[in-house]
Amino acid sequence: MRDEALNITNQTEASLRIVGFLCNWCSYGGADTAGVCRFRQPPLLRIVRIPCTGRMDPLFVIKALAQGADGVLVSGCHPKDCHYAVGNLYARRRLEMVGRFLPFIGIDPRRFRFTWVSASEGQRWQQVVTEFSEVIEKLGPNPGLRSHAG
Amino acid sequence: MNTLQSIVESIWDQVDVVLGWRVGYDPLHPVPTFVRDRKDIASLIWNPLCAPNLSVFLAKFFRTASQRDKKIGILAKGCDSRSLTALIQEGLVDRDRLLIVGLTCPGTVDPDALAAARTQSGPITAVAFANGMVEITSADGVECVPLDRVIERRCQRCRHAHPVLYDVVLHDFEPRPVPKDPFAHVEALENQSLEARKAFWLKELERCLRCYACRNACPLCVCQDHCLAESRTPKWVTQKDTVADKFLFHMIHTLHLAGRCTECGECERACPMKIPVGLLKEKTAQIAMDLWHYESGTDPGARPPLLSYDASVTGI
């Protein structure tokens, strides 16, 4: 029993990590809905709650990936449903830009994804997380620049 | 025929100061100069050695300058005029207070390439440009180097050798022809594997001194005292000299210029370690072109794509 518990701990320690930046108003609620509905989700995601995807600095994506996060997921309200009206419209331009820039500096662009999930879409949230986790599991660990960080 | 001096004389009554170049410690090294006195007009020069982009001084100028009636005169090559346009677009510089002397540009000289192409080494007394040749007079005699052989990388890919914005224009030189593929250098790197690209940047950025010359030479780096690279809260980069920190600094620079960079190449020219940091910005310029058909610094009325949005777009 004790060994089993240790095993689980070790497994989680060694497992892959996805950093999820979720908008407070939609996707964070969506993830909560998925939890309340008890939809099974892979355990890779660590959530950072942000006030709006308009708060997403593209540097967050690069810094997370450079520090060795295995994936970065950004999710907010569907376009035209933003709590602040247009935050996600700005965000999608920035995120599209950074997503296309990543391969140029040698970061696999498949490790980054942005999507829109509303607070009621628990089912969709489960699907997004499961799909992205599968991609990351296939890609394996991201070395990032940790070994160069001194 | 118009000369630089006659043009500056003709606009002198309208301006407080003229930003231009004069000869530095030798004729191969012109330096920026601010002409405030009429008698100093004679010291102004313009030739392919005048590389510094003078618009870098403007944002600071407009913040500190007292509101006066007279304008600020500035000499601008094609790339410089794009930087000026971008500054005007973003409201950092007031077009009505500028008097732009446009210069058609044959490309600027890469000092390293010139040094490599030269055979003599004596002190230089004069430099002249004629028929596509650089004619250098030194203590050892006169030698000629073809201008095309010593042109900067940024100029080899220049699409706007003729200024895009000016009040008067000086046609001293034939503008450089537009190259077939201005993004050839970016594509050459993209043809390599992901691992090779990462290795390339780690190897190049390893040399970075974090002297911030690239940032300081950049006309559109206007955060100035509030640069993220030096902020303590939030602390983005540490004081360590690891390549990870250098990498992050260059990401800050690049992403702050995404969709704004006018590809003047000053970052790369100013780099004492010859790191091709310009490539990073060229890539973002290429993305902006692909995604929004936007070329920064060509239309003073346009809005940079990352400072705006299009609600009608669907599917992403």
Side-chain angles (χ1 to χ4, degrees):
Chain A
M1 188 66 192
R2 191 166 164 273
D3 281 357
E4 225 169 72
L6 268 179
N7 201 15
I8 288 166
T9 324
N10 288 340
Q11 208 179 5
T12 17
E13 282 300 308
S15 73
L16 302 159
R17 296 285 158 87
I18 297 172
V19 182
F21 292 95
L22 306 194
C23 142
N24 175 42
W25 302 101
C26 287
S27 294
Y28 194 86
D32 193 35
T33 305
V36 169
C37 298
R38 304 211 161 222
F39 295 145
R40 283 187 70 87
Q41 293 176 34
L44 277 61
L45 190 78
R46 301 292 180 279
I47 295 175
V48 179
R49 188 184 192 176
I50 53 175
C52 172
T53 41
R55 174 66 181 87
M56 259 315 279
D57 189 327
L59 283 166
F60 294 164
V61 179
I62 290 191
K63 184 159 186 182
L65 291 172
Q67 287 190 335
D70 302 299
V72 171
L73 174 66
V74 183
S75 183
C77 310
H78 289 279
K80 297 185 185 174
D81 267 348
C82 177
H83 183 80
Y84 305 102
V86 292
N88 53 6
L89 298 179
Y90 283 107
R92 68 178 182 189
R93 285 199 160 187
R94 294 175 197 157
L95 295 170
E96 192 64 31
M97 166 69 84
V98 76
R100 285 173 186 238
F101 181 69
L102 289 175
F104 190 68
I105 48 172
I107 297 176
D108 196 325
R110 287 172 294 180
R111 293 190 186 276
F112 167 63
R113 181 171 293 182
F114 68 95
T115 185
W116 319 113
V117 174
S118 83
S120 58
E121 293 176 319
Q123 196 87 58
R124 183 173 144 74
W125 175 253
Q126 179 195 31
Q127 198 191 333
V128 164
V129 177
T130 313
E131 274 176 20
F132 190 50
S133 299
E134 277 166 13
V135 172
I136 296 302
E137 263 160 13
K138 239 179 239 138
L139 287 172
N142 167 31
L145 298 177
R146 266 173 310 183
S147 56
H148 302 273
Chain B
M1 194 187 142
N2 275 337
T3 64
L4 179 60
Q5 267 70 24
S6 71
I7 284 184
V8 177
E9 282 285 356
S10 71
I11 61 166
W12 188 254
D13 292 335
Q14 302 170 54
V15 295
D16 255 342
V17 55
V18 173
L19 276 63
W21 306 274
R22 63 174 170 80
V23 175
Y25 67 88
D26 80 7
L28 278 189
H29 299 88
V31 292
T33 185
F34 292 40
V35 175
R36 294 173 194 276
D37 198 328
R38 193 166 199 148
K39 70 176 193 313
D40 292 336
I41 294 177
S43 69
L44 285 174
I45 57 164
W46 155 237
N47 63 41
L49 292 164
C50 298
N53 183 348
L54 302 169
S55 47
V56 68
F57 300 110
L58 280 183
K60 199 173 262 177
F61 227 103
F62 273 83
R63 259 206 320 242
T64 53
S66 56
Q67 202 65 43
R68 276 189 274 182
D69 299 336
K70 285 199 169 178
K71 298 185 178 189
I72 294 167
I74 182 164
L75 310 189
K77 310 183 285 286
C79 52
D80 307 359
S81 73
R82 279 182 74 190
S83 310
L84 280 174
T85 310
L87 287 166
I88 293 163
Q89 270 178 289
E90 293 177 26
L92 296 159
V93 160
D94 181 359
R95 174 70 180 98
D96 297 332
R97 290 203 56 219
L98 277 188
L99 211 158
I100 307 167
V101 180
L103 308 164
T104 56
C105 178
T108 58
V109 172
D110 178 351
D112 286 344
L114 185 60
R118 287 187 64 206
T119 50
Q120 303 173 342
S121 57
I124 292 143
T125 50
V127 182
F129 293 86
N131 311 321
M133 300 291 264
V134 191
E135 196 182 287
I136 303 169
T137 315
S138 67
D140 304 332
V142 179
E143 75 175 317
C144 287
V145 178
L147 184 58
D148 265 346
R149 254 181 68 198
V150 295
I151 224 79
E152 292 247 26
R153 188 179 80 78
R154 61 175 185 177
C155 304
Q156 291 163 11
R157 51 182 301 283
C158 173
R159 304 190 293 284
H160 294 275
H162 197 279
V164 295
L165 186 73
Y166 53 85
D167 298 298
V168 273
V169 65
L170 175 68
H171 292 279
D172 253 8
F173 294 96
E174 248 337 273
R176 221 185 136 66
V178 177
K180 258 201 236 64
D181 187 5
F183 292 104
H185 298 123
V186 166
E187 279 150 17
L189 182 55
E190 279 187 329
N191 288 336
Q192 300 178 26
S193 69
L194 269 184
E195 290 72 35
R197 281 178 242 172
K198 187 173 163 191
F200 170 82
W201 285 115
L202 287 176
K203 180 173 149 278
E204 293 291 333
L205 294 176
E206 182 74 67
R207 297 202 302 280
C208 177
L209 306 170
R210 281 180 55 195
C211 65
Y212 299 150
C214 49
R215 180 195 71 182
N216 297 351
C218 177
L220 287 166
C221 258
V222 289
C223 303
Q224 306 257 345
D225 293 340
H226 307 282
C227 181
L228 266 196
E230 285 163 315
S231 88
R232 283 174 182 268
T233 42
K235 195 167 187 66
W236 277 90
V237 288
T238 69
Q239 274 83 350
K240 286 185 202 156
D241 65 346
T242 63
V243 70
D245 284 88
K246 299 167 183 181
F247 181 87
L248 200 57
F249 164 69
H250 287 282
M251 289 307 113
I252 293 173
H253 190 179
T254 305
L255 290 176
H256 281 186
L257 284 158
R260 305 166 67 225
C261 174
T262 56
E263 302 158 72
C264 71
E266 281 289 276
C267 45
E268 191 166 318
R269 189 189 64 81
C271 179
M273 300 309 286
K274 304 287 161 215
I275 302 169
V277 285
L279 275 178
L280 293 167
K281 289 103 194 179
E282 284 159 30
K283 179 61 193 171
T284 60
Q286 191 193 33
I287 297 171
M289 199 100 95
D290 288 350
L291 281 176
W292 307 296
H293 312 291
Y294 177 82
E295 189 175 35
S296 63
T298 50
D299 173 8
R303 203 166 160 71
L306 290 175
L307 298 181
S308 57
Y309 58 85
D310 181 358
S312 69
V313 173
T314 52
I316 52 166

